[in-house]
């Protein structure tokens, strides 16, 4: 009963070896936690915890030349981030992406991490904290970077991000018309136009590129890539380099590289959807209209979201009902008389388009109650254009 277990204790974590020792170590680095977290947060966004292929849950970490390079991919997207580090022994390793991100996130700010690869395990140490992570063979990690880029141009990152943000809400979701499940980018000369449509509405936002291209080019960036690109670009006016190949798009900025496959298809002729001329057009106050639509839209049915607008004299009235026989009605006095019109919309589509416009006043133009209405900013003209199709109420 007085058995001594002192010598039977199992060592749950083997201490890091010293610089004088060599026990099969293939990589050793020291890195600032904050720098690593910043890079991991970008790369980790494309890595899922569960994948059909286990290697896709991992991040490729390459150490050498005073930095580490982190790569994450899901075969459709690839994100690469560079991070300064003290590289004592260069090498490559794949580590579970989300788990590694969670570990680094929980460690104290401004701390220094010691990482090394030994015996097929990736070890992370900070103070008295120790972690061991399983790895997978580096040669199994896919690579999207070996691509020939046949066109490149520069563009302010804020302008590219704005063009995407002002159109992405109009993308289709899992539409059988696969070419609508993304944002189309059209480049010509120094002009870039981002266009998205889902069959019920269309958004266009134009921007100027920092360099000129010859000819014209159209590509369709898939839905998931659009969402990731918006986060990837961040703020600021520092130019990014955009590269295009037959099947991929690449965006490079600072120490980050974003690569995505393109949708293989032809986007519809958006010029045919946007009314080039309208018979009637009225200037409306953006803020009061959004407030009115928000209040009246409360009683619209959850699935249909229908709302009726009626222009008569100098009054714009909005009304909605639902299957419970609830009703809402509100009037807004305009500055002058407008042509008479009664038309129905999905209120969500209308609110999202008006919200995306950046001026206090916008233009509401139409030809008849059966065609789509054209929404434009009051002064900036064709920089932003939205088309919302009517619905029957």
């Amino acid at each position: 009963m007085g058995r001594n277990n002192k010598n039977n204790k199992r060592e749950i974590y083997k201490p890091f070896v010293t610089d004088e020792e060599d026990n099969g170590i293939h990589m050793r680095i020291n890195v600032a936690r904050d720098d690593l977290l910043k890079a991991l947060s970008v790369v980790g966004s494309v890595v899922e915890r569960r994948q059909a292929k286990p290697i896709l849950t991992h991040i490729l970490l390459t150490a050498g030349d005073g930095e580490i390079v982190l790569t994450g991919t899901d075969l459709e997207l690839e994100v690469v981030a560079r991070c300064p580090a003290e590289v004592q022994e260069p090498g490559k390793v794949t580590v579970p992406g989300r788990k590694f991100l969670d570990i680094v996130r929980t460690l104290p700010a401004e701390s220094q991490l010691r990482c090394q690869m030994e015996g097929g395990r990736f070890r992370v140490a900070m103070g008295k904290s120790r972690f061991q992570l399983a790895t997978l063979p580096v040669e199994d990690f896919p690579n999207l970077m070996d691509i020939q880029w046949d066109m490149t141009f520069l563009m302010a990152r804020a302008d590219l991000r704005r063009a995407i943000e002002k159109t992405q809400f109009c993308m289709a979701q899992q539409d059988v018309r696969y070419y609508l499940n993304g944002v189309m980018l059209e480049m010509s000369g120094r002009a870039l136009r981002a266009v998205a449509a889902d069959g019920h509405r269309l958004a266009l936002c134009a921007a100027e590129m920092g360099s000129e291209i010859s000819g014209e080019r159209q590509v369709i960036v898939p839905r998931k890539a659009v969402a990731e690109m918006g986060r990837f670009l961040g703020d600021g006016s520092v130019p990014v380099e955009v590269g295009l190949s037959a099947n991929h798009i690449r965006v490079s900025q600072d120490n980050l590289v974003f690569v995505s496959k393109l949708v293989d298809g032809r986007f519809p002729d958006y010029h045919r959807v946007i009314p080039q001329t309208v018979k009637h057009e009225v200037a409306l106050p953006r803020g009061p209209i959004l407030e009115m639509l928000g209040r009246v839209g409360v009683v619209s049915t959850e699935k249909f979201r229908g709302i009726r607008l009626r222009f008569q004299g100098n009054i714009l009235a909005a009304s909605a009902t639902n299957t419970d026989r609830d009703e809402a009605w509100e009037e807004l006095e305009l500055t002058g008389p407008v042509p008479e019109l009664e038309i129905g919309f999905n209120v969500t589509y209308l609110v999202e388009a008006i919200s995306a416009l950046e001026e206090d006043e916008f233009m509401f133009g139409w030809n008849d109650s059966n065609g789509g209405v054209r929404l434009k900013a009051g002064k900036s003209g064709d920089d932003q254009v939205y088309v919302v199709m009517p619905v029957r109420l």
Side-chain angles (χ1 to χ4, degrees), residues 190-215:
R190 296 180 69 94
L192 178 141
R193 297 177 186 88
V195 183
D198 63 4
H200 306 286
R201 52 186 173 162
L202 178 144
L204 179 149
C205 185
E208 185 176 349
M209 298 186 296
S211 57
E212 186 172 353
I213 66 169
S214 59

Side-chain angles (χ1 to χ4, degrees), residues 13-172:
Y13 190 88
K14 183 178 178 181
F16 273 34
V17 298
T18 63
D19 291 341
E20 289 77 21
E21 296 176 313
D22 185 354
N23 194 24
I25 293 177
H26 303 292
M27 183 178 68
R28 186 187 293 130
I29 58 175
N30 295 326
V31 61
R33 175 263 188 191
D34 296 353
D35 292 339
L36 180 58
L37 179 60
K38 183 178 179 181
L40 270 176
S41 297
V42 177
V43 174
S45 64
V46 303
V47 179
E48 303 293 342
R49 293 186 187 273
R50 292 183 176 87
Q51 284 276 8
K53 295 182 177 181
I55 192 65
L56 297 181
T57 67
H58 282 224
I59 285 174
L60 176 65
L61 190 156
T62 305
D65 297 328
E67 67 176 10
I68 58 176
V69 180
L70 302 168
T71 306
T73 184
D74 64 0
L75 296 183
E76 298 294 327
L77 306 175
E78 181 170 286
V79 177
V80 179
R82 298 178 181 274
C83 172
E86 178 189 348
V87 180
Q88 298 175 344
E89 184 75 24
K92 291 183 178 183
V93 62
T94 69
V95 295
R98 291 287 184 171
K99 197 174 295 181
F100 189 28
L101 174 59
D102 289 343
I103 289 171
V104 175
R105 186 182 285 125
T106 60
L107 295 174
E110 300 182 359
S111 58
Q112 291 289 320
L113 311 186
R114 293 178 292 130
C115 307
Q116 66 186 41
M117 176 65 178
E118 181 184 0
R121 310 284 285 180
F122 183 71
R123 296 184 169 190
V124 181
M126 192 289 303
K128 295 184 178 181
S129 299
R130 300 287 189 274
F131 304 90
Q132 283 193 143
L133 297 176
T135 65
L136 292 173
V138 169
E139 54 270 21
D140 291 346
F141 195 85
N143 181 19
L144 296 181
M145 286 298 178
D146 297 332
I147 300 169
Q148 297 297 320
W149 305 102
D150 53 53
M151 176 182 288
T152 59
F153 60 89
L154 298 176
M155 188 169 185
R157 74 177 70 179
D159 291 343
L160 181 56
R161 180 180 180 181
R162 173 179 174 270
I164 291 171
E165 287 183 342
K166 297 298 182 180
T167 55
Q168 64 179 355
F169 61 88
C170 284
M171 292 185 295

Side-chain angles (χ1 to χ4, degrees), residues 147-363:
I147 300 169
Q148 297 297 320
W149 305 102
D150 53 53
M151 176 182 288
T152 59
F153 60 89
L154 298 176
M155 188 169 185
R157 74 177 70 179
D159 291 343
L160 181 56
R161 180 180 180 181
R162 173 179 174 270
I164 291 171
E165 287 183 342
K166 297 298 182 180
T167 55
Q168 64 179 355
F169 61 88
C170 284
M171 292 185 295
Q173 299 189 44
Q174 298 180 336
D175 198 297
V176 293
R177 298 165 295 181
Y178 57 91
Y179 45 81
L180 297 181
N181 299 318
V183 170
M184 188 273 286
L185 299 180
E186 179 183 75
M187 289 70 64
S188 177
R190 296 180 69 94
L192 178 141
R193 297 177 186 88
V195 183
D198 63 4
H200 306 286
R201 52 186 173 162
L202 178 144
L204 179 149
C205 185
E208 185 176 349
M209 298 186 296
S211 57
E212 186 172 353
I213 66 169
S214 59
E216 184 176 298
R217 186 78 170 266
Q218 280 191 3
V219 298
I220 304 174
V221 184
R223 184 180 185 85
K224 182 178 179 180
V226 169
E228 293 297 335
M229 193 185 298
R231 288 191 286 268
F232 172 84
L233 286 169
D235 299 317
S237 58
V238 177
V240 296
E241 182 184 75
V242 181
L244 298 174
S245 73
N247 301 306
H248 294 82
I249 182 171
R250 180 191 66 196
V251 182
S252 306
Q253 62 168 3
D254 302 331
N255 293 319
L256 302 173
V257 180
F258 174 94
V259 177
S260 170
K261 288 186 177 180
L262 297 170
V263 176
D264 183 15
R266 181 70 178 176
F267 199 80
D269 184 2
Y270 65 90
H271 297 285
R272 298 177 60 183
V273 180
I274 302 174
Q276 300 305 306
T277 59
V278 291
K279 295 179 181 178
H280 311 289
E281 192 167 49
V282 57
L284 297 176
R286 178 175 172 272
I289 292 291
L290 286 174
E291 292 173 3
M292 179 175 69
L293 294 176
R295 287 188 288 265
V296 175
V298 168
V299 303
S300 61
T301 56
E302 184 175 342
K303 291 184 179 180
F304 188 55
R305 300 289 289 156
I307 192 171
R308 178 179 282 106
L309 297 184
R310 183 177 182 182
F311 291 92
Q312 191 171 29
N314 66 336
I315 298 296
L316 169 59
S319 61
T321 61
N322 59 33
T323 54
D324 294 327
R325 303 181 68 182
D326 300 322
E327 297 182 5
W329 176 281
E330 185 169 332
E331 292 183 348
L332 178 67
E333 186 173 352
L334 306 177
T335 55
V338 298
E340 187 169 329
L341 173 69
E342 187 167 342
I343 190 170
F345 292 104
N346 179 310
V347 67
T348 300
Y349 295 167
L350 201 58
V351 166
E352 287 182 339
I354 297 173
S355 298
L357 294 167
E358 297 170 338
E359 297 181 10
D360 294 335
E361 188 176 76
F362 69 95
M363 307 304 297

